[in-house]
Amino acid sequence: MASQIWKWVRWTLGALFASLMVFVMAGTGLMFIITDGSWLAVAMGYGCLTISILLVTLMFLIVHTMDHK
């Protein structure tokens, strides 16, 4: 019972940390895009947004795969 609770605590903390990383990456990308910068800053902003979308997709795939064991 205690190992199952510890497992859920680890999964919850991991999910919170991953969502925080994605949120920070997307926020950084938006700041690069919104500020009136050079084309390189805008490209980096769209790159950050693309990486955050890909990370969310990867997280859903991992959870979906682990759910079907």
Side-chain angles (χ1 to χ4, degrees), residues 52-65:
S52 65
I53 290 170
L54 290 174
L55 282 174
V56 169
T57 306
L58 180 65
M59 284 187 269
F60 275 117
L61 286 171
I62 290 171
V63 169
H64 178 72
T65 308

Side-chain angles (χ1 to χ4, degrees), residues 15-64:
L16 287 173
F17 183 68
S19 64
L20 178 68
M21 287 190 324
V22 169
F23 181 74
V24 168
M25 178 72 76
T28 303
L30 283 176
M31 285 193 311
F32 274 127
I33 293 170
I34 289 174
T35 57
D36 195 26
S38 65
W39 64 272
L40 183 61
V42 173
M44 286 172 48
Y46 282 114
C48 287
L49 287 177
T50 303
I51 289 172
S52 65
I53 290 170
L54 290 174
L55 282 174
V56 169
T57 306
L58 180 65
M59 284 187 269
F60 275 117
L61 286 171
I62 290 171
V63 169
H64 178 72

